[in-house]
Every structure is written in C-alpha cells, then in structure tokens.
Amino acid sequence: MTSRERFLAAAYAQKTDRRPIWLMRQAGRYLPEYRALREKHGFLEMVKTPELAAEVTLQPLRRYALDAAILFSDILTIPEALGIPYAFREGGGIAMQGKIENAHDVKKLQPEDVTGRLGYVYDALRLTRAALRDTALLGFCGAPWTLAAYLVQGGSAEGFPRLLALAREDKKTLHLLLEKLAVAAAAHLRAQIAAGADAVQIFDSWAGICPAEDYAENSLRWVKQIIEQLPKGTPVIFFAKGAKDTAALWDSGAQVLGFGSEADLPAIAKSTPQGKAVQGNLGNALLLESPEKTAAAARALLEKMRGIDGYIFNLGHGLLPQTTPETVGALVDAVTHFDVAP
Ligand code: 1CP
C-alpha cells in the first residue's frame, strides 16, 4: 500500500497493512529547517508564497514516514480574504486588524470573493501535489464557530468572552456571521480539492468553549452545511476539540472525526457508525518526555485501538514547538512498526 492508499482506506474504515499517521502542526517550529526559513521570511510571507509554503509542507515528509502532508497555511486566511487581516502579538497570540461587533460589520463581509483572494493556497497545493505522488495531501479550513471566535474577539483570548457574549445577546448577528463564514469555507475547501487535496480537515479548535446545549446550532449546523457542498468521494475530517457530545458530531456528515486528548478515543471508536473512522489523539505534551516514553505511549494507544477498522493515528492537538525532532522520529517509528494483526 502507498501512504495515500493507506490513508484513504483507513478514512473509509477499510483494512490497512498498518495504521496511517500524520501529525497536526507537523510543519513548524520544532524543525530546525523550518526555523532557518522562518529567520529569513515572515510567517505570512511564507504562507502567501506558494514555493515557500510547498517547501515547508514537504519538510517533515523528508524526515519521517508520514502518510499525509497537510498544506502549510492557516485557518485565518479566510478572515484575511474577507478583509480582516491578522498579525502576531508581541509575546504570543494573534491580533486581528479589525473585529466584528454588530450586524453592520457582518453585512460588509463578502464571502463570494474569497477564493479569488486565496489563489496562493491553491497554487501551493498544486506545487505540493506535483512533488508528492504517493502521499495523501490534506487541505483544511477553520470551522465557522472557531473563525468567529477570532473575528468577534479581535484576536486570541482566553475563553473568547466576546464571542460567548454575542452568542447570548445577539444570536441573529452571530448566525449571520456563521452563515457567511460557512459560504467562504465551503468555497475554499472546494477550491482546495480541485487543486489536488485528497482529503480536507475542518478545525473547530474552540468547540470546547461553546456551551454544550448550543453547539448544534452554533457550530455543527454550519459544518454540516459546508460538508453538504463538497464533492462526495473526498473524505472530510472534522476536528471538534473539546466538544462535549461526541456522538452528535456524526450529524455533521463527516467521514472521519478527529479528537483531542481529553476524549476517550478507544471508547468512542467502539460506537463509531459502520464505515466511518476516527483520528487522534495522543497528548501533545507527552512528547516533551523522552523518545522512549513517547513511543511507549503511542504503542499503548495502538493496543487499545487494536481490531478497530477506520483509525488514523494523530496527536490530540498540534505538535508543540519545544518537541525534539528525535522524539517525533521515535513516535513515527513506533506507529509505522506496530503490528496491527488482530
Ligand atoms: O512560525 C510561527 O511562529 C507560526 C506558527 C504557526 C504555524 C506553524 C501559525 C500561526 N500557524 C501555523 C500553521 C498552521 N496553522 C497549520 C499548518 C499545517 C500543519 O498542521 O502543519 C494549520 C493546520 C494551522 C491551523 C490553525 N491556525 C488553527 C487550528 C489548529 C489548532 O492548532 O487548533 C488555529 C487555531 C490557527 C490560528 C493560529 N495561527 C498561528 C497560531 C500560533 C495560531 C493559534 C493562535 C492562538 O489562538 O493563540
């Protein structure tokens, strides 16, 4: 099996020779070759220059036997294409250069034009696709709820209180915003698939801050609307980090659900609908221990997932910048050498 075949087979819950693996944030600051490029170029310059974005996407694939590459880009490219750019704050976090406070602000957003402004993403995907024949290539976007978090708050913030206030006080405006973000996200994913993505992941990284009783109408509904607009036959991975009602996430129509390390993945996998798959969820902080402990933790998770068809190995959240390349190597070796015989 090639990596691409293995990844796609697992996504459709078919048998594979071994577990496929990729890692969220597999391109990034833990790699010296990323830091070397980053010294010469700004993050946004790298994201917006297709040759650089493709190069950074390929960096982890040169080191490790990963089964999928995820395009080096960001979920905040959609807000930027809607006219609200972003920058890094001194001392960490994101600052949006504008924020959504009321219906008037939402009405100014024009999601119909978004793909015209994101051509650099599709060019980067085409370059990466040409360089990777046998590896799965993933595109992605942020879920409307998570994008709204940054837009309403005006950047990153603990718990995104402005988003929660808008959700309580002016649901109509929130839904107008979520609807526009869903239109933009669907168009962006369709264009990524057309440019060569084998699968796409929708990141709802802030699912966990939404009150459980509101999640269906503030997030799930819009994710479902996005998925309905995508071509059948391209698997969609929905990563709703911290979502409380995990069974309800299947209502999105996703082919694969990704989980954070707070979820009990082996238990969830046992009640996965026939033909669907799960992804996750080794704790990313575990990798700050030794390579040996990381490999042992990976084998323990694989053991618990034994016999379950439809499993893609990943972390519960992105690789931390302090992780050593050796530990990532030990993790990938542990997963790719694990005997999956029942
Ligand atoms: O060099 C640097 O300092 C930049 C750090 C960085 C990187 C490597 C950012 C800024 N984005 C990325 C790449 C990125 N972002 C990818 C590339 C593919 C890969 O996984 O290798 C992806 C998929 C994302 C998605 C993303 N961006 C998410 C969802 C995933 C998650 O981590 O939950 C979110 C929330 C963002 C916003 C963002 N962009 C960058 C940062 C540091 C953040 C989080 C900001 C915050 O809220 O504090």
Side-chain angles (χ1 to χ4, degrees):
M1 274 184 143
T2 66
S3 282
R4 186 168 174 271
E5 289 164 349
R6 179 179 301 115
F7 177 89
L8 290 171
Y12 286 106
Q14 293 154 5
K15 297 234 181 288
T16 52
D17 53 349
R18 61 168 177 78
R19 298 299 193 185
I21 173 172
W22 70 280
L23 303 170
M24 290 188 277
R25 290 276 163 97
Q26 63 190 30
R29 281 176 293 173
Y30 76 100
L31 284 178
E33 55 271 35
Y34 174 86
R35 291 198 301 270
L37 262 188
R38 185 73 168 79
E39 266 171 33
K40 291 188 265 171
H41 307 279
F43 173 73
L44 290 171
E45 179 193 356
M46 283 165 54
V47 164
K48 289 185 175 184
T49 309
E51 292 73 19
L52 291 175
E55 166 60 22
V56 173
T57 304
L58 294 169
Q59 282 178 345
L61 278 294
R62 295 197 187 106
R63 277 184 185 252
Y64 310 116
L66 295 160
D67 295 297
I70 181 159
L71 184 72
F72 181 75
S73 189
D74 204 273
I75 63 166
L76 299 172
T77 55
I78 285 182
E80 184 186 53
L82 289 169
I84 305 187
Y86 62 106
F88 292 107
R89 278 192 201 121
E90 299 268 342
I94 299 277
M96 305 303 296
Q97 319 295 93
K99 64 165 120 45
I100 300 290
E101 295 183 287
N102 50 46
H104 178 72
D105 297 337
V106 177
K107 287 195 181 112
K108 285 191 289 195
L109 302 175
Q110 296 188 330
E112 296 75 17
D113 301 343
V114 125
T115 52
R117 301 203 191 96
L118 292 173
Y120 59 86
V121 174
Y122 319 129
D123 288 342
L125 275 167
R126 279 186 283 266
L127 283 177
T128 311
R129 178 82 281 171
L132 281 182
R133 261 168 258 131
D134 294 336
T135 305
L137 178 57
L138 310 185
F140 69 91
C141 72
W145 171 256
T146 286
L147 294 179
Y150 289 95
L151 282 167
V152 173
Q153 191 69 38
S156 6
E158 180 77 34
F160 295 89
R162 282 175 167 274
L163 174 70
L164 296 184
L166 185 69
R168 279 193 310 268
E169 290 154 20
D170 188 357
K171 197 179 273 185
K172 210 170 144 216
T173 296
L174 176 68
H175 284 196
L176 211 59
L177 173 61
L178 294 169
E179 160 113 70
K180 289 207 173 186
L181 292 170
V183 169
H188 188 37
L189 291 182
R190 276 200 307 272
Q192 292 183 66
I193 293 165
D198 293 303
V200 291
Q201 176 154 316
I202 300 175
F203 285 91
D204 203 1
S205 304
W206 300 113
I209 66 168
C210 186
E213 62 276 19
D214 297 337
Y215 190 70
E217 62 166 345
N218 287 344
S219 188
L220 212 43
R221 171 180 165 196
W222 310 98
V223 170
K224 183 168 184 234
Q225 187 171 303
I226 294 169
I227 294 175
E228 281 168 355
Q229 292 177 63
L230 302 180
K232 308 285 165 263
T234 301
V236 179
I237 308 165
F238 179 33
F239 174 64
K241 191 173 178 304
K244 281 137 202 124
D245 185 356
T246 55
L249 299 173
W250 293 113
D251 297 345
S252 63
Q255 178 60 35
V256 183
L257 291 182
F259 290 96
S261 49
E262 72 285 344
D264 183 350
L265 192 64
I268 289 170
K270 289 193 181 82
S271 49
T272 293
Q274 186 74 26
K276 302 273 183 172
V278 296
Q279 172 180 283
N281 74 341
L282 193 73
N284 56 357
L286 262 171
L287 277 72
L288 303 180
E289 310 259 340
S290 64
E292 294 74 23
K293 280 194 176 163
T294 299
R299 281 191 288 267
L301 175 57
L302 289 160
E303 199 53 65
K304 288 190 193 149
M305 297 297 283
R306 190 181 291 284
I308 291 163
D309 293 325
Y311 173 43
I312 298 168
F313 192 96
N314 206 318
L315 303 178
H317 206 182
L319 267 171
L320 297 167
Q322 318 87 286
T323 313
T324 67
E326 292 69 30
T327 301
V328 176
L331 171 63
V332 176
D333 276 351
V335 176
T336 56
H337 290 104
F338 188 83
D339 183 359
V340 294

